[in-house]
């Protein structure tokens, strides 16, 4: 997240200055967090955990392993930088990595400050909000720090055109003889002597008492919990998400053109979903909501409404009576995952506890149309159909199904939401389903290719396992251990249930028996190549 760069700057300023004798006015981390009002739910639990940490902080002196953490105040950034620049014995050089971190922090905050300025101008306000003033102040501090440190910044070395294996350097005046001497054995003139008997019979050295290692303190930049700071964090959050989405679309495009294999893109996509989940969890820790849980709506609402305001559009306006959203801001809603979240919430609320949503397979697929050339209404309709067909099957696996060959983050996320008391869909799960939809946008009519590949792999493995088991039934060969045989049988059964018979549709077949809805075999796997890739990876990893 963006705060890592400011923490890097704060840590370097504090550690360098303290080492040179500067007295730092820093506060312990556990003293900087304060809450107002009565906390509920998860927030109350987190506060209790913080109280326990405060009690443990008193034991830091007796526990050398504890690593104290301090907060560097914003007002101290410039004095620390000026102190380091004024120090000349020796001259302090600013590392390239620190200069880059400082530049990144300034660029991100400058972009966010520009959004805030345009919003204020659009609404006709003559003065900035208090939160805007605070944010602008921090930006000016960082720019002043960069200006002060600029004379001490290290110029990055020019790139060496030689390959890595050729970058070994020798003295300029080295001759052929010296080079030959350098590669010869420099220890060849030494003699290896045997230890004397007296040395061997000498008493051992008494063990020295173990010295506790010196524990270094860690520092981080002061951060306020204002709305503007949270909006800044949200801005960075969606910038990262946008980059990840772009890369996922790229690798599935590569798979479509047979330049990458299914397992690679599936594992990469699932890992990317895990990454977004971790990023959101870090966001929640820094900016907890009133109930201790910063959900999708709270995270996105402020930033999305700000962008709509800059464009002069109201998200609540509908051009037609039957419109589900304001399609004039469809691109913004897509950028912030609003459309996917709204569809998921609508379908999730329609799922009755203990029942499975029954849907009619959609026939009017518009695969011949390029996604970029569709109108916003066509895109919304296509995504809604895809979610309506895929979500119920995934929910059935997550809540009622047997353990599949492999679980992706979508199945785990649906199970987590179902087990919680709240029905709020988190941001990372909306991102996961957006990946589910964008994979179908990319693959189009070839979206079922993943299942065909999984089927070929599963049938080949099933045939091989059958032949191997039959071979070991021969009296001339030793019988397999029961554990090995049971593992083979389990794998054989999983292939039969999930790939050959299709567990999901077998369960649904009884539900749609008297409804007139036709049965579609392997409907989920034919539209979810991500799950097919993870299934194939699980088969190859175990067999």
């Amino acid at each position: 997240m963006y705060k890592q760069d400011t923490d890097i700057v704060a840590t370097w300023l504090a550690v360098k200055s303290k080492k040179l004798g500067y007295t730092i006015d820093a506060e312990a981390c556990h003293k900087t967090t304060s809450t107002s009002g009565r906390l509920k739910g998860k927030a109350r639990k987190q506060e209790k955990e913080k109280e326990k940490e405060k009690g443990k902080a008193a034991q830091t002196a007796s526990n050398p392993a504890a690593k104290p953490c301090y907060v560097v105040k914003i007002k101290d950034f410039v004095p620390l930088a000026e102190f380091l620049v004024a120090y000349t014995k020796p001259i302090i050089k600013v590392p390239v990595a620190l200069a880059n971190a400082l530049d990144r922090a300034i660029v991100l905050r400058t972009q966010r400050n520009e959004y805030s300025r345009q919003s204020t101008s659009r609404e006709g306000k003559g003065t900035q909000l208090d939160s805007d003033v605070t944010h602008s102040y921090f930006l000016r501090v960082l720019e002043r720090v960069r200006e002060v440190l600029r004379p001490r910044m290290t110029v990055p070395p020019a790139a060496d055109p030689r390959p890595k294996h050729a970058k070994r350097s020798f003295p300029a005046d080295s001759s052929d003889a010296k080079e030959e001497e350098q590669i010869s054995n420099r220890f060849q003139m030494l003699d290896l002597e045997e230890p004397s008997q007296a040395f061997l019979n000498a008493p051992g050295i008494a063990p020295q008492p173990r010295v506790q290692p010196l524990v270094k303190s860690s520092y981080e930049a002061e951060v306020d919990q204002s709305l503007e700071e949270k909006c800044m964090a949200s801005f960075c959050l969606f910038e990262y998400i946008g980059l990840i989405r772009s890369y996922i679309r790229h690798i599935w495009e590569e798979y479509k053109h047979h330049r990458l294999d299914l397992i690679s893109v599936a594992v990469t996509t699932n890992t990317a979903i895990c990454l977004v989940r971790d990023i959101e969890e870090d966001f929640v820790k820094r900016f907890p909501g009133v109930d201790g849980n910063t959900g999708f709506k709270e995270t996105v609402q402020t930033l999305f409404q700000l962008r709509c305001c800059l464009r002069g559009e109201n998200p609540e306006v509908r051009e037609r009576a039957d419109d589900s959203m304001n399609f004039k801001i469809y691109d913004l809603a897509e950028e912030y995952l609003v459309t996917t979240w709204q569809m998921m919430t609508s379908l999730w609320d329609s799922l009755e506890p203990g029942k499975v949503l029954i849907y009619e397979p959609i026939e009017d697929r518009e695969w011949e149309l390029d996604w970029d050339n569709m109108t916003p209404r066509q895109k919304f309709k296509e995504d809604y159909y895809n979610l309506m067909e895929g979500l119920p099957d995934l929910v059935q696996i997550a809540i009622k199904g047997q353990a599949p060959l492999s679980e992706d983050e979508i199945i785990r996320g649906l199970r987590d939401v179902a087990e919680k008391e709240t029905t709020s869909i988190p941001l990372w799960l909306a991102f996961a389903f957006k990946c589910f939809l964008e994979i179908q946008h990319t693959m189009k009519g070839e979206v079922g290719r993943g299942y065909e590949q999984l089927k070929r792999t599963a049938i080949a493995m099933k045939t091989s396992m059958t032949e191997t088991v039959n071979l070991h039934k021969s009296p001339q060969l030793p019988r397999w251990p029961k554990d090995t045989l049971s593992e083979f049988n389990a794998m054989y059964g999983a292939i039969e249930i999930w790939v050959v018979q299709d567990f999901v549709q077998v369960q649904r077949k009884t539900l749609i028996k008297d409804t007139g809805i036709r049965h579609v075999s392997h409907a989920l796997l034919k539209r979810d190549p991500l799950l097919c890739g993870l299934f194939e990876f699980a088969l190859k990893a175990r067999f």
Side-chain angles (χ1 to χ4, degrees), residues 83-297:
F83 170 79
L84 292 174
V85 171
Y87 198 89
T88 58
K89 297 181 180 180
I91 295 178
I92 304 301
K93 295 293 185 180
V94 179
V96 176
L98 179 75
N100 293 337
L102 186 57
D103 288 340
R104 288 195 302 267
I106 291 174
V107 168
L108 283 175
R109 290 184 176 275
T110 301
Q111 293 174 349
R112 181 61 194 91
N113 200 43
E114 182 64 18
Y115 275 118
S116 179
R117 187 192 63 78
Q118 293 180 9
S119 176
T120 303
S121 176
R122 177 75 63 135
E123 294 177 3
K125 296 178 181 178
T127 58
Q128 286 183 305
L129 300 175
D130 293 340
S131 57
D132 296 339
V133 175
T134 302
H135 181 74
S136 300
Y137 168 69
F138 196 8
L139 177 60
R140 290 195 300 271
V141 168
L142 292 176
E143 290 175 339
R144 176 58 182 164
V145 169
R146 182 171 62 179
E147 180 181 349
V148 171
L149 294 179
R150 194 177 298 280
R152 297 289 186 264
M153 288 185 177
T154 305
V155 179
D160 194 336
R162 295 177 297 168
K164 292 183 178 180
H165 61 80
K167 291 185 180 180
R168 183 178 177 183
S169 60
F170 294 96
D173 58 346
S174 61
S175 61
D176 294 341
K178 289 184 178 181
E179 291 182 4
E180 183 179 353
E181 181 181 351
Q182 287 176 350
I183 64 175
S184 63
N185 185 4
R186 66 182 64 185
F187 304 108
Q188 62 184 358
M189 302 303 296
L190 298 180
D191 295 329
L192 181 61
E193 298 180 357
E194 296 292 336
S196 63
Q197 191 64 33
F199 178 81
L200 295 175
N201 296 334
I205 301 176
Q208 298 294 327
R210 185 176 181 181
V211 180
Q212 296 291 348
L214 180 62
V215 179
K216 296 181 180 179
S217 302
S218 62
Y219 296 87
E220 62 181 38
E222 179 184 10
V223 174
D224 63 291
Q225 300 293 327
S226 65
L227 178 62
E228 181 65 21
E229 190 68 19
K230 182 176 180 179
C231 201
M232 168 67 191
S234 301
F235 175 81
C236 297
L237 173 67
F238 279 97
E239 181 174 334
Y240 298 148
I241 290 177
L243 293 174
I244 295 173
R245 285 176 59 185
S246 177
Y247 182 74
I248 291 176
R249 288 193 296 267
H250 167 71
I251 62 175
W252 281 98
E253 189 72 30
E254 293 291 290
Y255 166 70
K256 179 181 178 180
H257 294 92
H258 303 277
R259 290 191 285 264
L260 287 175
D261 63 278
L262 178 62
I263 292 179
S264 298
V265 296
V267 173
T268 302
T269 303
N270 201 55
T271 304
I273 297 173
C274 293
L275 177 61
V276 173
R277 184 175 191 170
D278 293 340
I279 294 175
E280 184 186 5
E281 289 177 354
D282 180 72
F283 183 92
V284 172
K285 289 178 182 178
R286 296 183 185 277
F287 301 97
V290 177
D291 60 349
N293 182 22
T294 304
F296 176 89
K297 190 173 183 179

Side-chain angles (χ1 to χ4, degrees), residues 202-419:
I205 301 176
Q208 298 294 327
R210 185 176 181 181
V211 180
Q212 296 291 348
L214 180 62
V215 179
K216 296 181 180 179
S217 302
S218 62
Y219 296 87
E220 62 181 38
E222 179 184 10
V223 174
D224 63 291
Q225 300 293 327
S226 65
L227 178 62
E228 181 65 21
E229 190 68 19
K230 182 176 180 179
C231 201
M232 168 67 191
S234 301
F235 175 81
C236 297
L237 173 67
F238 279 97
E239 181 174 334
Y240 298 148
I241 290 177
L243 293 174
I244 295 173
R245 285 176 59 185
S246 177
Y247 182 74
I248 291 176
R249 288 193 296 267
H250 167 71
I251 62 175
W252 281 98
E253 189 72 30
E254 293 291 290
Y255 166 70
K256 179 181 178 180
H257 294 92
H258 303 277
R259 290 191 285 264
L260 287 175
D261 63 278
L262 178 62
I263 292 179
S264 298
V265 296
V267 173
T268 302
T269 303
N270 201 55
T271 304
I273 297 173
C274 293
L275 177 61
V276 173
R277 184 175 191 170
D278 293 340
I279 294 175
E280 184 186 5
E281 289 177 354
D282 180 72
F283 183 92
V284 172
K285 289 178 182 178
R286 296 183 185 277
F287 301 97
V290 177
D291 60 349
N293 182 22
T294 304
F296 176 89
K297 190 173 183 179
E298 184 178 353
T299 305
V300 176
Q301 188 174 18
T302 303
L303 194 57
F304 175 64
Q305 290 182 351
L306 173 62
R307 294 290 301 276
C308 293
C309 179
L310 292 175
R311 190 175 290 189
E313 296 289 345
N314 185 352
E316 304 300 327
V317 173
R318 302 290 184 268
E319 187 176 358
R320 300 177 183 175
D322 58 344
D323 282 348
S324 301
M325 61 171 295
N326 183 355
F327 285 106
K328 292 182 179 180
I329 54 171
Y330 178 82
D331 58 329
L332 293 180
E334 280 286 280
E335 180 181 352
Y336 294 107
L337 307 175
V338 174
T339 51
T340 306
W341 182 82
Q342 288 178 343
M343 294 176 193
M344 288 185 61
T345 302
S346 174
L347 291 172
W348 185 265
D349 293 341
S350 64
L351 294 174
E352 300 181 18
K355 295 184 179 181
V356 178
L357 180 63
I358 301 176
Y359 62 87
E360 177 72 32
I362 287 82
E363 297 291 345
D364 55 340
R365 281 287 185 266
E366 299 179 348
W367 298 122
E368 68 278 1
L369 295 179
D370 184 70
W371 177 260
D372 295 332
N373 295 328
M374 287 185 179
T375 65
R377 284 185 178 83
Q378 288 175 322
K379 293 179 179 180
F380 187 91
K381 176 183 177 182
E382 187 68 20
D383 279 349
Y384 189 79
Y385 283 170
N386 288 330
L387 271 182
M388 189 169 64
E389 288 186 343
L391 181 61
D393 291 349
L394 290 167
V395 170
Q396 185 176 354
I397 296 176
I399 300 177
K400 291 187 173 184
Q402 300 179 5
L405 288 168
S406 178
E407 286 188 348
D408 59 4
E409 289 302 308
I410 293 179
I411 295 175
R412 295 191 187 101
L414 290 173
R415 185 181 297 115
D416 291 343
V417 173
E419 292 175 352

Side-chain angles (χ1 to χ4, degrees), residues 22-63:
Y22 189 92
T23 303
I24 302 173
D25 181 16
E27 298 180 353
C29 286
H30 65 269
K31 294 181 181 179
T32 60
T33 55
S34 60
T35 55
S36 60
R38 186 171 181 265
L39 299 178
K40 301 178 181 179
K42 186 177 179 181
R44 184 185 303 172
K45 182 179 179 181
Q46 291 177 346
E47 188 64 22
K48 289 182 179 179
E49 293 178 355
K50 292 179 182 179
E51 292 295 334
K52 293 180 181 178
E53 292 178 0
K54 291 181 181 180
K56 294 179 181 179
Q59 303 175 359
T60 301
S62 60
N63 182 16

